[in-house]
């Protein structure tokens, strides 16, 4: 069965209308939004356990990959979707892009992260959250105070010093917008984002890039994935990522 060759990981599922040619060639095309630096170790581990299968990655941000999968619905180019947001997986299933699939060891997964509907087609292995990535050295040079809440980021003193992912293309950015709307309420949430937009230096295509830019000193503040901030924090002396107060989210959570 093909499912014995499918990767075990975050939000793994098979696509409908699989092509036998791909498996005959022993190459599996996997669409993913996971960060590039994570892919090599998963590819190595999977191919070691499945020496007759080779993975071909196609990687982009969540919004781009979701749009690509929907556009290819009637002519699928991939066998596997791996590492997209739960909201995207739910949409893909609703549109008939995914087929039901039950991985081995499903009983060991957290049911709250899995497809909650009948005939589940996707499964998750983690929930992540966002954080404010703050470069203390840059802030000191520019006389910027340390923010202690999301509301602080609307202070005009931060104008031109903040970056965040574009919610139109980045799942991380979309998650953040959803979290603000859940936290503040719809009316107040949109008003908050309108004020925050005035302080934005730019929006990025990548979900992790704002934290990377903060670490490199390109901006003082990056709104991004906390896990990326935690990794970068160990490499830089004068910056920090401080998740403190949890905010509402969907399958991914936003925090400060």
């Amino acid at each position: 069965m093909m499912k014995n060759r499918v990767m075990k990981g975050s939000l793994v599922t098979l696509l409908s209308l699989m092509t036998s040619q791909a498996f005959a060639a022993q190459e599996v095309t996997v669409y993913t939004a996971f960060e590039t630096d994570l892919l090599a170790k998963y590819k190595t581990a999977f191919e070691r356990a499945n020496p007759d299968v080779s993975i071909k990655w196609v990687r982009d941000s969540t919004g781009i990959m979701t749009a690509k999968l929907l556009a290819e619905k009637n002519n699928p180019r991939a066998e596997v979707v791996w590492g997209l947001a739960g909201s995207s997986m739910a949409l893909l299933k609703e549109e008939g892009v995914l087929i039901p699939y039950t991985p081995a060891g499903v009983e060991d997964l957290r049911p709250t992260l899995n497809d909650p509907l009948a005939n589940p087609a996707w499964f998750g292995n983690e929930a992540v959250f966002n954080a404010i990535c703050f470069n203390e050295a840059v802030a000191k040079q520019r006389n910027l105070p340390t923010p202690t809440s999301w509301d602080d980021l609307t202070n005009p003193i931060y104008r031109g010093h903040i970056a965040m992912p574009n919610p139109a293309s980045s799942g991380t950015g979309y998650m953040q917008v959803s979290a603000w709307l859940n936290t503040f309420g719809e009316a107040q949430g949109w008003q908050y984002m309108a004020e925050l937009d005035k302080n934005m230096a730019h929006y990025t295509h990548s979900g992790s890039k704002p934290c990377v830019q903060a670490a490199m000193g390109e901006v003082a503040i990056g709104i991004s994935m906390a896990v990326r901030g935690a990794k970068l924090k160990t490499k830089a002396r004068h910056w920090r990522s401080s998740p403190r107060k949890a905010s509402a989210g969907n399958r991914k959570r936003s925090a400060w």
Side-chain angles (χ1 to χ4, degrees):
M1 295 293 290
M2 291 181 183
K3 66 181 181 181
N4 292 329
R5 294 177 174 176
V6 178
M7 295 186 64
K8 311 306 190 285
S10 174
L11 301 177
V12 180
T13 185
L14 288 178
L15 287 175
S16 59
L17 302 177
M18 289 182 175
T19 58
S20 60
Q21 291 87 346
F23 285 96
Q26 301 299 307
E27 181 178 81
V28 176
T29 299
V30 182
Y31 282 11
T32 183
F34 266 136
E35 293 298 307
T36 303
D37 57 357
L38 295 176
L39 300 182
K41 66 178 182 180
Y42 282 110
K43 177 179 172 67
T44 299
F46 177 81
E47 292 179 354
R48 184 184 298 120
N50 301 271
D52 58 334
V53 180
S54 174
I55 293 176
K56 176 185 176 182
W57 298 116
V58 177
R59 192 263 169 206
D60 213 315
S61 295
T62 295
I64 302 300
M65 295 311 305
T66 303
K68 183 175 178 65
L69 285 159
L70 290 171
E72 296 174 356
K73 174 181 176 180
N74 296 322
N75 185 27
R77 306 295 178 85
E79 287 75 48
V80 180
V81 185
W82 181 60
L84 264 64
S87 54
S88 289
M89 288 297 195
L91 174 62
L92 293 172
K93 180 183 178 183
E94 181 180 349
E95 293 296 323
V97 177
L98 308 180
I99 62 173
Y101 165 68
T102 302
V106 65
E107 64 278 359
D108 297 325
L109 301 178
R110 295 182 181 181
T112 54
L113 300 182
N114 300 337
D115 182 354
L117 302 180
N119 300 315
W122 52 269
F123 302 83
N125 70 345
E126 64 180 3
V128 300
F129 57 90
N130 283 356
I132 296 173
C133 301
F134 183 67
N135 189 313
E136 292 178 325
V138 172
K140 184 177 181 180
Q141 293 171 0
R142 300 174 184 176
N143 296 315
L144 301 176
T146 301
T148 60
S149 70
W150 290 119
D151 285 328
D152 285 353
L153 297 185
T154 62
N155 187 330
I157 198 171
Y158 295 118
R159 188 155 297 175
H161 298 298
I162 304 174
M164 75 167 282
N166 187 335
S169 62
S170 166
T172 304
Y174 178 83
M175 169 182 72
Q176 188 60 65
V177 168
S178 297
W180 282 328
L181 293 176
N182 282 322
T183 300
F184 299 131
E186 187 166 350
Q188 186 179 347
W190 286 116
Q191 180 60 38
Y192 169 78
M193 286 183 276
E195 293 299 315
L196 180 63
D197 180 66
K198 298 175 183 178
N199 288 346
M200 284 292 166
H202 53 259
Y203 295 87
T204 66
H205 179 61
S206 165
S208 62
K209 193 169 185 178
C211 266
V212 175
Q213 291 179 333
M216 296 178 66
E218 296 178 17
V219 293
I221 296 170
I223 300 171
S224 186
M225 296 183 293
V227 64
R228 178 61 62 185
K231 289 181 179 179
L232 291 167
K233 183 178 178 180
T234 64
K235 299 178 181 179
R237 181 178 300 175
H238 297 296
W239 91 291
R240 72 183 185 188
S241 170
S242 305
R244 293 179 182 173
K245 183 178 179 182
S247 302
N250 190 1
R251 295 207 173 274
K252 296 180 177 179
R253 299 185 179 89
S254 172
W256 159 247

